[in-house]
Amino acid sequence: PPSDDSEFVRRVYLDTIGLLPTVDEARSFLADTDPHKRTALIDQLISRPEFVDYWSYQWSDVLLLTGSRLRPDAIKSYYKWIRDRVASNTPWDEFARGIILARGSTIENGAANFYALHQDPQDMVETTSMAFLGMSIQCAHCHDHPNEKWTNDDYYGMVSLFARVRGKGWGGDFRNGDGNRTIFLADRGEVLQPRTSRPQPARPLDGQAISFDDPGDRREHLAKWLTAPDNPYFAKAIVNRVWANFMGRGLVEAVDDIRLTNPASNEKLFARLATELVRNKYDLKWLMRTILQSETYQRSHVVLKENVADQRFYAHSYPRRLKAEVLLDAISQVTAVPTVFKDQPAGTRALQLPDANVASYFLDTFGRPERVLTCTCERSDEPSMTQVLHLTNGKTIQEKLEAKEGRVSQFL
């Protein structure tokens, strides 16, 4: 059966902007008799500034924004680049091209920090394939992939696409400077394939190779192949990521493990959503609306005896834990006591942090990723005794309950 309004309003707020509805927002929605009120609420939520906070944080996970590897000015620039594109609803193909083709100062062009983080062509290939193709080709680094069609030659063909990307300077010592690095292209240079001691012709995974003598930016060839409407991987990868955010698991699970030997739970739906996303010019808000308005998303979490065992086909909504950042913001919201983060403006929420390296025992305890690898495996939703003890007698909740300006004190 469909969810009732109280279940839906809580779910759609958390999944879309990472916040609980306020008491007034919930009461207003429940009292509304308009039969189209769910669609209206969806449109309101994806237009709110908190939507930009939530999805900027999501893409910062994928693109590995962390102060453990970038200096503050570089982090600020990279985060602003991402945030500006979420705010303007930049088409996903344009977003990807901005990353792949980035060059220049990492302070002036935030996207260039992708190459400050990845100074080895092999790292560039592996992060690009995980972030924008939803697949790991790392196994083909040493040998032909055991679970996929990609060969060692395919891997080094991709590596050759990045072989001439160079960077200079950190604006001083990396630990003390401003992190300003300049990304540029060399006129020559190749990466040798260890198995053959020769470079592979630059070629996207199943695209066309280009000549070693081609003077152009090889990344242009990659970007054109990557975002081509007939690329069978690019649109599916982002569909799967967005679907997993709203449904708790991807049509292909895990979301960065798309391969022939790991089929989608509904291949026809997967293909149709990807096709429609391309037809709608990679508009992610269109994709989100489509999912949020569906009967599948709006189903109840209450199971029937016929579907109690389902964990794959979305016969009911799957209950799931809140992400660490969403949980901490929810606790702050309910107690009316903002969390204080070192060196951050007062009132900054966890989902507004541009840097995963900002100290927070709570976030680390509840599974915040370190942003070292572009892999969903970095984020943990597993329960632990440490979590239980921290919720029971840790300072996060105790201090919020005791705060004079908090909701409990106001009630008393």
Side-chain angles (χ1 to χ4, degrees):
S3 58
D4 62 26
D5 283 345
S6 60
E7 181 180 356
F8 173 79
V9 71
R10 173 186 166 87
R11 180 190 303 167
V12 74
Y13 267 78
L14 288 169
D15 288 346
T16 307
I17 64 172
L19 286 174
L20 295 164
T22 66
V23 173
D24 288 343
E25 287 169 339
R27 285 177 173 164
S28 174
F29 182 78
L30 295 176
D32 191 346
T33 58
D34 186 342
H36 304 294
K37 66 180 182 179
R38 293 192 180 192
T39 297
L41 178 59
I42 291 166
D43 287 339
Q44 291 170 20
L45 289 174
I46 64 176
S47 299
R48 284 177 53 159
E50 295 91 345
F51 172 91
V52 180
D53 296 333
Y54 183 80
W55 287 95
S56 297
Y57 199 95
Q58 296 276 79
W59 306 140
S60 295
D61 275 357
V62 173
L63 295 171
L64 308 179
L65 272 70
T66 172
S68 65
R69 298 173 66 193
L70 291 174
R71 300 302 297 151
D73 286 350
I75 282 282
K76 187 184 301 182
S77 173
Y78 203 1
Y79 180 73
K80 182 179 185 302
W81 187 92
I82 293 171
R83 187 177 177 86
D84 287 349
R85 276 140 192 84
V86 174
S88 63
N89 194 33
T90 297
W92 187 245
D93 59 335
E94 185 178 331
F95 185 107
R97 280 196 296 269
I99 295 290
I100 299 299
L101 300 176
R103 64 168 75 187
S105 163
T106 56
I107 303 301
E108 296 173 4
N109 178 12
N113 284 285
F114 177 83
Y115 293 105
L117 285 167
H118 305 94
Q119 298 179 48
D120 184 312
Q122 295 172 5
D123 290 339
M124 297 172 192
V125 164
E126 290 168 11
T127 297
T128 297
S129 63
M130 290 283 270
F132 297 116
L133 298 172
M135 63 176 71
S136 171
I137 63 171
Q138 186 174 359
C139 286
H141 178 185
C142 300
H143 48 73
D144 293 348
H145 201 302
N147 298 317
E148 187 52 285
K149 66 179 184 178
W150 311 123
T151 66
N152 188 237
D153 289 349
D154 292 328
Y155 179 91
Y156 278 94
M158 283 282 282
V159 168
S160 292
L161 291 163
F162 294 101
R164 296 177 181 176
V165 179
R166 301 285 188 273
K168 60 182 179 182
W170 280 115
D173 180 81
F174 173 65
R175 291 164 294 179
N176 301 311
D178 61 5
N180 190 11
R181 187 167 173 81
T182 301
I183 305 302
F184 66 98
L185 296 176
D187 294 333
R188 58 180 62 86
E190 305 295 348
V191 176
L192 300 183
Q193 183 177 358
R195 183 171 59 85
T196 64
S197 298
R198 298 191 307 270
Q200 274 289 325
R203 180 175 66 86
L205 286 177
D206 55 6
Q208 297 296 314
I210 55 177
S211 168
F212 286 116
D213 298 328
D214 190 315
D217 184 350
R218 294 176 178 180
R219 301 174 306 164
E220 291 275 5
H221 186 60
L222 171 62
K224 184 177 180 180
W225 169 84
L226 184 73
T227 60
D230 59 351
N231 184 320
Y233 317 111
F234 179 71
K236 283 186 174 181
I238 189 59
V239 162
N240 205 39
R241 285 192 186 278
V242 173
W243 179 277
N245 174 81
F246 293 119
M247 299 297 194
R249 64 203 65 191
L251 287 162
V252 174
E253 185 65 21
V255 298
D256 41 30
D257 191 25
I258 297 176
R259 50 185 162 84
L260 293 174
T261 51
N262 185 29
S265 58
N266 189 325
E267 288 286 354
K268 289 184 178 180
L269 173 61
F270 196 26
R272 178 65 179 272
L273 280 173
T275 299
E276 291 298 312
L277 179 62
V278 173
R279 193 173 68 83
N280 282 275
K281 303 185 185 303
Y282 297 97
D283 181 346
L284 294 191
K285 284 192 174 182
W286 171 87
L287 176 62
M288 293 173 190
R289 282 193 191 94
T290 299
I291 295 172
L292 290 168
Q293 292 173 355
S294 69
E295 291 183 15
T296 307
Y297 178 77
Q298 296 188 21
R299 286 189 180 128
S300 173
H301 73 282
V302 178
V303 298
L304 306 175
K305 63 181 181 179
E306 296 87 356
N307 67 20
V308 65
D310 172 54
Q311 294 294 321
R312 181 168 168 80
F313 299 109
Y314 311 98
H316 55 85
S317 177
Y318 304 134
R320 47 201 156 98
R321 299 184 74 188
L322 301 184
K323 294 176 182 177
E325 301 85 352
V326 177
L327 177 58
L328 181 56
D329 285 346
I331 293 171
S332 299
Q333 184 181 355
V334 168
T335 58
V337 181
T339 300
V340 177
F341 296 103
K342 183 180 179 181
D343 299 327
Q344 299 296 319
T348 300
R349 293 183 289 108
L351 280 173
Q352 293 174 321
L353 295 173
D355 180 2
N357 202 42
V358 173
S360 171
Y361 180 80
F362 183 97
L363 294 179
D364 291 340
T365 299
F366 281 86
R368 173 177 62 175
E370 294 182 13
R371 292 181 177 171
V372 175
L373 300 172
T374 302
C375 177
T376 53
C377 59
E378 271 210 329
R379 180 178 290 278
S380 172
D381 62 358
E382 292 299 315
S384 70
M385 185 55 67
T386 307
Q387 295 171 4
V388 174
L389 293 173
H390 188 65
L391 289 178
T392 304
N393 56 20
K395 67 178 184 179
T396 299
I397 291 183
Q398 291 298 326
E399 290 179 354
K400 293 182 187 301
L401 294 178
E402 295 169 355
K404 292 182 180 180
E405 72 277 16
R407 201 177 305 276
V408 172
S409 295
Q410 294 172 14
F411 284 162
L412 292 174

